[in-house]
Amino acid sequence: MFEKLKGKTIRWGIIGCGDVTEVKSGPAFQKIAGSELVAVMRRNGAKAQDYAQRHGVPKWYDQAQDLIKDPEVDAVYIATPPDSHAAYTLAVAAAGKPVYVEKPMALNFAQCQQMVEACEKAQVPLFVAYYRRRLPAFLKVKELVDSGAIGDIRLVNIRLYHPPQQNLDPDHLPWRVQPHIAGGGLFHDLASHQLDYLDYLLGPISSASGQTANQAGLYPAEDVVTAQFRFGNGILGTGVWCFTVNAAQFTDTTEIIGSQGRITFPSFAQEPVRLHTAAGTQEFMLPPPAHVQQPFIQTIIEELSGAGTCPSTGQTAARTAWVMDQITGR
């Protein structure tokens, strides 16, 4: 527990108030009891000011250090691309403030370790935005697994096939497919959610390996990845991610196979969780809330105020980064 904030309203600052903060996360800091969004920062001051005005935030900055040292900011949410996560985390930790950082946690496992060590040295908490751990559909999957609905777990299979983004300009590529900014490609961005959730559900993963390729040549990052991995409890897993298929081949399925049945569910698509047993198939349609990070941010607020525990920490997120490095050979 972070004693300095126990029982207090947590006053938040956001570094990088871009698209992810518009609906997914930003409004949650203002909607949760015991939380308040008091400052935002973006290098483009006009955009920071616009965000602050539209969202009713009293302060805006165009320099991160100004937000970090603001005495009215108790904790900082880092919502920039992954290439700046480590530097900003170290700066926030040095200021003695809790850190909530977007996923992927950093460019690689080594950077994640630096972030964890800096926060441990400063004695501040480090949380990472693997918010699927608290979404209704994913909690349902955990309930089914934990209750023994499909017996003893044997293996897990992940399949994620996406069509490529249309009209990609090689001179102005999205940051998510530029490895020096994202740490990899869409595998790094999307599979990190899936592997983190499996760490929470069945993990941790103790070994992993894989193959990567760039088949379509649309951008410098890999566009297809295959993997095999083993959990510490002996469960085996495989995964295939491809981001250059025809739209008709879109697939988003994780399959957990047990001794008495199986569970299938999507990671990103709006499809039901399905329980398949000898008795038949049951479907559970559990849509996410309007602000998908809100249930997870609620757990951070509870931990900082001394009323609960957040399910995702820097240590668990670093494990996911290690697995991704093992799969891609980075």
Side-chain angles (χ1 to χ4, degrees), residues 7 11 40 49 57 65 67 74 101-102 113 116-117 151-152 165 170 179 207 210 252 263 270 272 274 276 303 310:
R11 299 171 299 178
V40 295
Q49 183 180 25
V57 181
Q65 196 59 40
L67 180 144
D74 299 317
V101 64
E102 265 302 328
Q113 286 181 302
V116 170
E117 290 169 2
D152 297 328
Q165 182 177 329
S207 64
D252 175 7
I263 301 165
Q270 295 300 304
R274 294 183 172 92
H276 311 268
E303 179 162 336
C310 176

Side-chain angles (χ1 to χ4, degrees), residues 54-137:
R54 286 187 294 103
H55 290 275
V57 181
K59 298 182 183 182
W60 61 270
Y61 297 101
D62 59 10
Q63 298 293 322
Q65 196 59 40
D66 291 339
L67 180 144
I68 292 168
K69 70 182 182 182
D70 186 333
E72 295 185 353
V73 171
D74 299 317
V76 178
Y77 167 40
I78 300 167
T80 57
D83 64 330
S84 58
H85 287 180
Y88 283 141
T89 295
L90 268 58
V92 177
K97 299 182 179 184
V99 183
Y100 176 41
V101 64
E102 265 302 328
K103 47 61 57 186
M105 182 176 170
L107 295 180
N108 50 51
F109 176 58
Q111 284 192 348
C112 294
Q113 286 181 302
Q114 293 174 359
M115 294 160 70
V116 170
E117 290 169 2
C119 289
E120 288 178 345
K121 181 178 180 181
Q123 297 185 329
V124 297
L126 172 58
F127 309 102
V128 183
Y130 285 118
Y131 55 85
R132 276 166 175 74
R133 292 181 176 221
R134 296 305 300 170
L135 289 179

Side-chain angles (χ1 to χ4, degrees), residues 163-178:
Q165 182 177 329
Q166 297 298 307
N167 302 315
L168 283 172
D169 179 352
D171 295 322
H172 299 90
L173 288 169
W175 65 260
R176 286 179 173 82
V177 295
Q178 299 186 57

